[in-house]
PDB file of all heavy atoms in Angstrom:
ATOM      1  N   PRO A 265      55.643 154.256  80.818  1.00  0.00           N
ATOM      2  CA  PRO A 265      54.640 155.251  81.209  1.00  0.00           C
ATOM      3  C   PRO A 265      53.740 155.619  80.041  1.00  0.00           C
ATOM      4  O   PRO A 265      54.148 155.507  78.868  1.00  0.00           O
ATOM      5  CB  PRO A 265      55.485 156.449  81.651  1.00  0.00           C
ATOM      6  CG  PRO A 265      56.785 156.282  80.937  1.00  0.00           C
ATOM      7  CD  PRO A 265      57.013 154.805  80.878  1.00  0.00           C
ATOM      8  N   PRO A 266      52.508 156.034  80.324  1.00  0.00           N
ATOM      9  CA  PRO A 266      51.622 156.470  79.238  1.00  0.00           C
ATOM     10  C   PRO A 266      52.248 157.639  78.473  1.00  0.00           C
ATOM     11  O   PRO A 266      53.003 158.438  79.026  1.00  0.00           O
ATOM     12  CB  PRO A 266      50.350 156.921  79.978  1.00  0.00           C
ATOM     13  CG  PRO A 266      50.419 156.236  81.303  1.00  0.00           C
ATOM     14  CD  PRO A 266      51.862 156.142  81.645  1.00  0.00           C
ATOM     15  N   LEU A 267      51.928 157.730  77.186  1.00  0.00           N
ATOM     16  CA  LEU A 267      52.430 158.808  76.349  1.00  0.00           C
ATOM     17  C   LEU A 267      51.377 159.906  76.231  1.00  0.00           C
ATOM     18  O   LEU A 267      50.264 159.651  75.754  1.00  0.00           O
ATOM     19  CB  LEU A 267      52.766 158.286  74.948  1.00  0.00           C
ATOM     20  CG  LEU A 267      53.948 157.330  74.836  1.00  0.00           C
ATOM     21  CD1 LEU A 267      54.041 156.798  73.409  1.00  0.00           C
ATOM     22  CD2 LEU A 267      55.249 158.019  75.231  1.00  0.00           C
ATOM     23  N   PRO A 268      51.696 161.113  76.660  1.00  0.00           N
ATOM     24  CA  PRO A 268      50.725 162.202  76.519  1.00  0.00           C
ATOM     25  C   PRO A 268      50.577 162.634  75.068  1.00  0.00           C
ATOM     26  O   PRO A 268      51.517 162.514  74.277  1.00  0.00           O
ATOM     27  CB  PRO A 268      51.340 163.323  77.372  1.00  0.00           C
ATOM     28  CG  PRO A 268      52.809 163.047  77.343  1.00  0.00           C
ATOM     29  CD  PRO A 268      52.948 161.551  77.305  1.00  0.00           C
ATOM     30  N   ILE A 269      49.388 163.106  74.719  1.00  0.00           N
ATOM     31  CA  ILE A 269      49.121 163.632  73.385  1.00  0.00           C
ATOM     32  C   ILE A 269      48.837 165.123  73.521  1.00  0.00           C
ATOM     33  O   ILE A 269      47.953 165.525  74.291  1.00  0.00           O
ATOM     34  CB  ILE A 269      47.914 162.940  72.729  1.00  0.00           C
ATOM     35  CG1 ILE A 269      48.054 161.419  72.799  1.00  0.00           C
ATOM     36  CG2 ILE A 269      47.750 163.396  71.291  1.00  0.00           C
ATOM     37  CD1 ILE A 269      46.790 160.687  72.387  1.00  0.00           C
ATOM     38  N   HIS A 270      49.593 165.947  72.798  1.00  0.00           N
ATOM     39  CA  HIS A 270      49.410 167.400  72.849  1.00  0.00           C
ATOM     40  C   HIS A 270      49.194 167.959  71.449  1.00  0.00           C
ATOM     41  O   HIS A 270      49.692 167.402  70.465  1.00  0.00           O
ATOM     42  CB  HIS A 270      50.638 168.100  73.439  1.00  0.00           C
ATOM     43  CG  HIS A 270      50.855 167.859  74.896  1.00  0.00           C
ATOM     44  ND1 HIS A 270      51.620 166.807  75.374  1.00  0.00           N
ATOM     45  CD2 HIS A 270      50.419 168.555  75.989  1.00  0.00           C
ATOM     46  CE1 HIS A 270      51.647 166.859  76.692  1.00  0.00           C
ATOM     47  NE2 HIS A 270      50.937 167.891  77.093  1.00  0.00           N
ATOM     48  N   VAL A 271      48.488 169.061  71.376  1.00  0.00           N
ATOM     49  CA  VAL A 271      48.463 169.869  70.163  1.00  0.00           C
ATOM     50  C   VAL A 271      49.226 171.152  70.482  1.00  0.00           C
ATOM     51  O   VAL A 271      49.061 171.732  71.554  1.00  0.00           O
ATOM     52  CB  VAL A 271      47.028 170.178  69.687  1.00  0.00           C
ATOM     53  CG1 VAL A 271      46.217 170.921  70.735  1.00  0.00           C
ATOM     54  CG2 VAL A 271      47.064 170.954  68.376  1.00  0.00           C
ATOM     55  N   LEU A 272      50.109 171.550  69.577  1.00  0.00           N
ATOM     56  CA  LEU A 272      50.931 172.738  69.780  1.00  0.00           C
ATOM     57  C   LEU A 272      50.610 173.773  68.701  1.00  0.00           C
ATOM     58  O   LEU A 272      50.355 173.422  67.547  1.00  0.00           O
ATOM     59  CB  LEU A 272      52.424 172.396  69.706  1.00  0.00           C
ATOM     60  CG  LEU A 272      53.033 171.613  70.864  1.00  0.00           C
ATOM     61  CD1 LEU A 272      52.713 170.130  70.755  1.00  0.00           C
ATOM     62  CD2 LEU A 272      54.544 171.789  70.906  1.00  0.00           C
ATOM     63  N   TYR A 273      50.619 175.027  69.113  1.00  0.00           N
ATOM     64  CA  TYR A 273      50.380 176.106  68.159  1.00  0.00           C
ATOM     65  C   TYR A 273      51.148 177.341  68.612  1.00  0.00           C
ATOM     66  O   TYR A 273      51.570 177.450  69.768  1.00  0.00           O
ATOM     67  CB  TYR A 273      48.882 176.408  68.019  1.00  0.00           C
ATOM     68  CG  TYR A 273      48.137 176.585  69.318  1.00  0.00           C
ATOM     69  CD1 TYR A 273      48.039 177.826  69.944  1.00  0.00           C
ATOM     70  CD2 TYR A 273      47.511 175.490  69.931  1.00  0.00           C
ATOM     71  CE1 TYR A 273      47.346 177.976  71.134  1.00  0.00           C
ATOM     72  CE2 TYR A 273      46.825 175.631  71.118  1.00  0.00           C
ATOM     73  CZ  TYR A 273      46.733 176.882  71.712  1.00  0.00           C
ATOM     74  OH  TYR A 273      46.056 177.016  72.895  1.00  0.00           O
ATOM     75  N   GLY A 274      51.339 178.249  67.692  1.00  0.00           N
ATOM     76  CA  GLY A 274      52.083 179.459  67.994  1.00  0.00           C
ATOM     77  C   GLY A 274      51.327 180.350  68.959  1.00  0.00           C
ATOM     78  O   GLY A 274      50.094 180.337  69.008  1.00  0.00           O
ATOM     79  N   HIS A 275      52.060 181.129  69.714  1.00  0.00           N
ATOM     80  CA  HIS A 275      51.438 182.010  70.692  1.00  0.00           C
ATOM     81  C   HIS A 275      50.693 183.136  69.986  1.00  0.00           C
ATOM     82  O   HIS A 275      51.265 183.929  69.267  1.00  0.00           O
ATOM     83  CB  HIS A 275      52.490 182.615  71.627  1.00  0.00           C
ATOM     84  CG  HIS A 275      51.906 183.529  72.660  1.00  0.00           C
ATOM     85  ND1 HIS A 275      51.085 183.072  73.663  1.00  0.00           N
ATOM     86  CD2 HIS A 275      51.999 184.874  72.831  1.00  0.00           C
ATOM     87  CE1 HIS A 275      50.712 184.101  74.427  1.00  0.00           C
ATOM     88  NE2 HIS A 275      51.254 185.193  73.934  1.00  0.00           N
ATOM     89  N   ARG A 276      49.406 183.146  70.164  1.00  0.00           N
ATOM     90  CA  ARG A 276      48.564 184.207  69.637  1.00  0.00           C
ATOM     91  C   ARG A 276      47.546 184.578  70.709  1.00  0.00           C
ATOM     92  O   ARG A 276      47.053 183.729  71.446  1.00  0.00           O
ATOM     93  CB  ARG A 276      47.809 183.768  68.379  1.00  0.00           C
ATOM     94  CG  ARG A 276      48.701 183.382  67.214  1.00  0.00           C
ATOM     95  CD  ARG A 276      49.384 184.600  66.596  1.00  0.00           C
ATOM     96  NE  ARG A 276      50.058 184.253  65.361  1.00  0.00           N
ATOM     97  CZ  ARG A 276      51.283 183.779  65.298  1.00  0.00           C
ATOM     98  NH1 ARG A 276      51.956 183.569  66.421  1.00  0.00           N
ATOM     99  NH2 ARG A 276      51.846 183.501  64.145  1.00  0.00           N
ATOM    100  N   ARG A 277      47.219 185.851  70.762  1.00  0.00           N
ATOM    101  CA  ARG A 277      46.206 186.261  71.725  1.00  0.00           C
ATOM    102  C   ARG A 277      44.861 185.637  71.380  1.00  0.00           C
ATOM    103  O   ARG A 277      44.075 185.289  72.239  1.00  0.00           O
ATOM    104  CB  ARG A 277      46.097 187.795  71.734  1.00  0.00           C
ATOM    105  CG  ARG A 277      45.174 188.328  72.822  1.00  0.00           C
ATOM    106  CD  ARG A 277      45.278 189.823  72.951  1.00  0.00           C
ATOM    107  NE  ARG A 277      44.918 190.491  71.703  1.00  0.00           N
ATOM    108  CZ  ARG A 277      45.041 191.804  71.517  1.00  0.00           C
ATOM    109  NH1 ARG A 277      45.576 192.554  72.471  1.00  0.00           N
ATOM    110  NH2 ARG A 277      44.686 192.359  70.383  1.00  0.00           N
ATOM    111  N   GLN A 278      44.598 185.490  70.071  1.00  0.00           N
ATOM    112  CA  GLN A 278      43.340 184.903  69.631  1.00  0.00           C
ATOM    113  C   GLN A 278      43.606 183.970  68.459  1.00  0.00           C
ATOM    114  O   GLN A 278      44.036 184.402  67.397  1.00  0.00           O
ATOM    115  CB  GLN A 278      42.358 186.007  69.202  1.00  0.00           C
ATOM    116  CG  GLN A 278      41.026 185.496  68.684  1.00  0.00           C
ATOM    117  CD  GLN A 278      40.178 184.856  69.771  1.00  0.00           C
ATOM    118  OE1 GLN A 278      40.278 185.246  70.927  1.00  0.00           O
ATOM    119  NE2 GLN A 278      39.376 183.879  69.415  1.00  0.00           N
TER     120      GLN A 278
END
Side-chain angles (χ1 to χ4, degrees):
L267 292 174
I269 309 170
H270 291 90
V271 59
L272 288 79
Y273 49 88
H275 180 67
R276 298 289 189 274
R277 186 170 60 186
Q278 178 69 30

